[in-house]
């Protein structure tokens, strides 16, 4: 992967490390719950659980899954050098789980009338990567 140079002087993009074992488990038809149990820091599994719960009408459960994945993702971002702001590129596969959790948290927060939190999450998503925001805003 080539490092993108930020010509505006802001922080460099943050790229989360890949978890090949977790991706392998998903490819081999493990459930998101099995993957989350085996790899609790893997935000994509939490995002999948949040999406499944939301689609099934289990909004509070979706909120809890999304919040778990979001916080696990924040921890991973900080370990990767993120300082609380700056790009988190959607184009990097390992970042997508965190970004999906952020979108799922916005959606679930809106559904439980946590409108301030929903707006903060949407803004955070847009600030992290406008492409992610466009991809996920209607998800």
């Amino acid at each position: 992967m080539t490092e993108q140079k930020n010509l505006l002087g802001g922080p460099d993009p943050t790229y989360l490390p890949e978890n090949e074992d977790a991706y392998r488990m998903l490819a081999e038809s493990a459930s998101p719950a099995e993957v989350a149990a085996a790899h609790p820091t893997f935000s994509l599994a939490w995002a999948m659980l949040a999406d499944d719960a939301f689609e099934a009408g289990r909004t509070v459960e979706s909120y809890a899954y999304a919040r778990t994945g979001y916080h696990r993702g924040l921890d991973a971002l900080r370990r990767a050098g993120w300082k609380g702001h700056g790009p988190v590129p959607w184009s990097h596969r390992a970042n997508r789980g965190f970004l999906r959790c952020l979108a799922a948290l916005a959606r679930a927060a809106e559904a439980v009338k946590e409108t301030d939190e929903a707006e903060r999450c949407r803004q955070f998503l847009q600030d992290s990567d406008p492409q992610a925001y466009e991809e996920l805003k209607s998800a």
Side-chain angles (χ1 to χ4, degrees):
M1 169 180 2
T2 59
E3 184 71 24
Q4 296 177 356
K5 179 67 177 153
N6 187 335
L7 300 177
L8 300 177
D12 287 332
T14 302
Y15 300 100
L16 293 174
E18 296 283 354
N19 184 332
E20 294 301 332
D21 190 46
Y23 287 117
R24 180 192 52 73
M25 287 180 72
L26 288 173
E28 293 174 355
S29 301
S31 72
E34 291 170 318
V35 176
H39 300 280
T41 62
F42 186 62
S43 290
L44 180 59
W46 296 106
M48 295 169 77
L49 288 166
D51 289 346
D52 290 347
F54 194 84
E55 290 172 17
R58 300 185 320 268
T59 307
V60 172
E61 190 178 320
S62 176
Y63 181 90
Y65 286 136
R67 182 164 282 291
T68 300
Y70 164 78
H71 280 289
R72 292 298 192 139
L74 283 178
D75 292 343
L77 283 169
R78 289 181 185 113
R79 282 191 303 276
W82 185 75
K83 303 292 187 207
H85 65 284
V88 181
W90 173 253
S91 60
H92 181 63
R93 177 177 77 158
N95 290 353
R96 289 184 176 196
F98 168 74
L99 296 167
R100 282 183 55 184
C101 281
L102 190 53
L105 185 55
R107 178 187 62 209
E110 186 72 33
V112 298
K113 308 295 189 246
E114 286 284 346
T115 54
D116 289 346
E117 180 178 30
E119 184 51 39
R120 281 191 305 273
C121 289
R122 281 190 211 95
Q123 188 62 55
F124 187 3
L125 182 60
Q126 190 165 26
D127 291 346
S128 294
D129 188 332
Q131 179 187 359
Y133 179 80
E134 287 302 316
E135 292 273 339
L136 298 170
K137 70 180 177 183
S138 61

